[in-house]
Amino acid sequence: MNYAEYLQPQAPACGTLKTFGFLLIPNFTTIGFASAIEPLRIAGLAAGRPLYRTVLISSGNESVQASNGMRILTDTRFDQAPALDTLFVVGANPIPQKYDRALLNWLRRLAEQGVPLGGICTGSHLLASAGLLKGYRCTLHWENIEQVKEKFPGIIISNQLYELDRDRYTCSGGTAAMDMTLQLVSREPDGAEIASRAAELLLCDRVRNARDQQRIPLRQKIGNAQPKLSQIVAIMEANLEEPLELEELAQLNEVSVRQLERLFHKYLERTPSHYYLELRLKRARDLLLRSESQVRDIALACGFASPAHFSKCYRRVFGHSPRGERKQSPLSC
């Protein structure tokens, strides 16, 4: 299919142009911002007509500096913003110590008016500061999860790539903003086809769904005080096709099996065998969604003796079969 075919008029995703606002907080991350705003423009190309109007909003000055030094000229201040169908807060890195009270009140008024609110990267922190995430599931970048949990203990924070909970749309930042935005496009009437075509234009090989989790580095979970555990996990990750026995892992790392089990229980809250199985199943899931390999071949590549055993383990962890995973995958490109 050539590029020109994408420019042929398609059935509109919705009857009217929707206005998406992007509130840029000083020191915002450009990759999260670009990954959220570009799919809206590309969706219009895929549909053959504009679907979304975007408005760049500042919290103060006319131009806003990103964390990489780039300056973006905004369209308006928050207190002069037009009517919006959705607003995304593009959070700052590092997170500010405090926010302007007038800005928080403006966000609260939008929520009262029923405007869906979203947070990109650390944007969830600002929404939480305004008291707008109580009772909602949300997420943000893994580096900031513990910090926000500590400050807002009543908020449900996951380590998913993104969360779409009623009229709150939050994502962990980076390229996850693209997945989230394409999912929102797909929710519109006739939007699934448009989102799929937009993903192809964006060279996106797969639109990840809300079940996908951020890959939090092991050192973030356990700190630097357990090099032995990090070494054991690295060996596991290097031996997924032919899993090692616990005795072999223990011997390679000069610990007893009992010591090995204690390390995993204390720092990862699971047995070594369970953790090893999770690694293999996560690898299998990635292959299912990113390749066209047969289920039997994927089972063997991830250390399962038979497709039946693989399917049983997969269903127990993910709630459906490997083949069901492929069928449920949204907007697979």
Side-chain angles (χ1 to χ4, degrees):
M1 182 180 291
N2 60 45
Y3 187 84
E5 292 181 37
Y6 283 96
L7 304 183
Q8 298 302 312
Q10 304 294 319
C14 51
T16 57
L17 205 65
K18 288 194 171 182
T19 301
F20 274 45
F22 288 85
L23 174 64
L24 305 181
I25 303 303
N27 292 314
F28 70 95
T29 56
T30 53
I31 187 170
F33 168 56
S35 295
I37 197 170
E38 273 298 281
L40 299 176
R41 180 182 69 86
I42 298 297
L45 286 179
R49 59 181 288 272
L51 300 176
Y52 302 96
R53 181 169 74 104
T54 56
V55 179
L56 304 187
I57 303 169
S58 72
S59 59
N61 297 328
E62 189 176 50
S63 67
V64 184
Q65 183 167 306
S67 57
N68 62 3
M70 180 186 297
R71 298 197 73 87
I72 298 292
L73 186 64
T74 59
D75 300 306
T76 181
R77 275 177 49 96
F78 71 89
D79 50 6
Q80 300 171 350
L84 301 171
D85 293 292
T86 299
L87 174 75
F88 280 107
V89 177
V90 188
N93 184 18
I95 292 175
Q97 293 294 317
K98 61 180 180 178
Y99 299 102
D100 178 23
R101 182 176 298 178
L103 178 63
L104 296 175
N105 288 334
W106 177 67
L107 291 172
R108 293 176 185 126
R109 286 196 297 273
L110 290 180
E112 290 171 359
Q113 295 164 12
V115 176
L117 301 174
I120 296 170
C121 194
T122 62
S124 296
H125 184 273
L126 176 49
L127 294 178
S129 297
L132 299 174
L133 289 178
K134 294 176 182 176
Y136 289 89
R137 286 181 61 85
C138 69
T139 191
L140 71 163
H141 196 278
W142 58 262
E143 286 186 313
N144 307 106
I145 287 178
E146 293 306 317
Q147 176 185 352
V148 175
K149 277 184 177 179
E150 183 177 342
K151 185 170 182 180
F152 305 101
I155 292 177
I156 307 167
I157 303 177
S158 79
N159 70 333
Q160 307 290 94
L161 287 175
Y162 58 93
E163 291 280 0
L164 305 179
D165 187 356
R166 292 160 287 168
D167 55 355
R168 296 292 183 271
Y169 315 139
T170 57
C171 78
S172 53
T175 58
M178 182 183 299
D179 301 287
M180 177 180 68
T181 306
L182 288 172
Q183 287 288 358
L184 290 174
V185 171
S186 74
R187 289 181 165 191
E188 300 290 347
D190 302 315
E193 175 64 19
I194 291 172
S196 181
R197 291 162 67 86
E200 289 182 325
L201 281 172
L202 290 162
L203 303 182
C204 172
D205 66 339
R206 178 176 78 88
V207 179
R208 297 169 292 181
N209 61 45
R211 296 194 308 271
D212 285 293
Q213 296 187 342
Q214 300 179 57
R215 183 177 173 82
I216 302 176
L218 188 63
R219 66 179 182 277
Q220 180 74 11
K221 296 178 182 178
I222 65 174
N224 298 318
Q226 292 300 322
K228 188 72 71 175
L229 181 56
S230 298
Q231 182 178 323
I232 294 167
V233 170
I235 292 173
M236 287 179 168
E237 291 175 334
N239 292 273
L240 299 180
E241 186 171 353
E242 296 183 7
L244 302 176
E245 298 293 334
L246 292 189
E247 290 77 8
E248 293 178 275
L249 284 169
Q251 186 176 7
L252 285 170
N253 291 278
E254 299 179 337
V255 295
S256 68
V257 171
R258 183 60 183 150
Q259 286 175 310
L260 187 69
E261 291 173 337
R262 280 200 297 266
L263 280 173
F264 275 80
H265 274 296
K266 182 174 182 179
Y267 295 101
L268 299 176
E269 299 180 345
R270 51 183 48 77
T271 66
S273 297
H274 189 190
Y275 188 85
Y276 208 168
L277 177 62
E278 286 180 345
L279 288 177
R280 291 156 57 206
L281 288 172
K282 286 176 182 177
R283 172 59 178 158
R285 185 169 187 266
D286 190 56
L287 290 173
L288 282 166
L289 296 173
R290 292 181 177 272
S291 77
E292 297 180 358
S293 299
Q294 296 295 318
V295 171
R296 177 185 295 274
D297 295 332
I298 291 175
L300 293 174
C302 296
F304 294 92
S306 70
H309 182 225
F310 170 50
S311 183
K312 180 180 178 181
C313 293
Y314 199 96
R315 185 183 295 276
R316 188 166 63 241
V317 171
F318 295 113
H320 46 257
S321 69
R323 287 185 173 83
E325 182 73 77
R326 279 182 164 165
K327 289 179 182 178
Q328 291 185 33
S329 178
L331 310 179
S332 295
C333 316

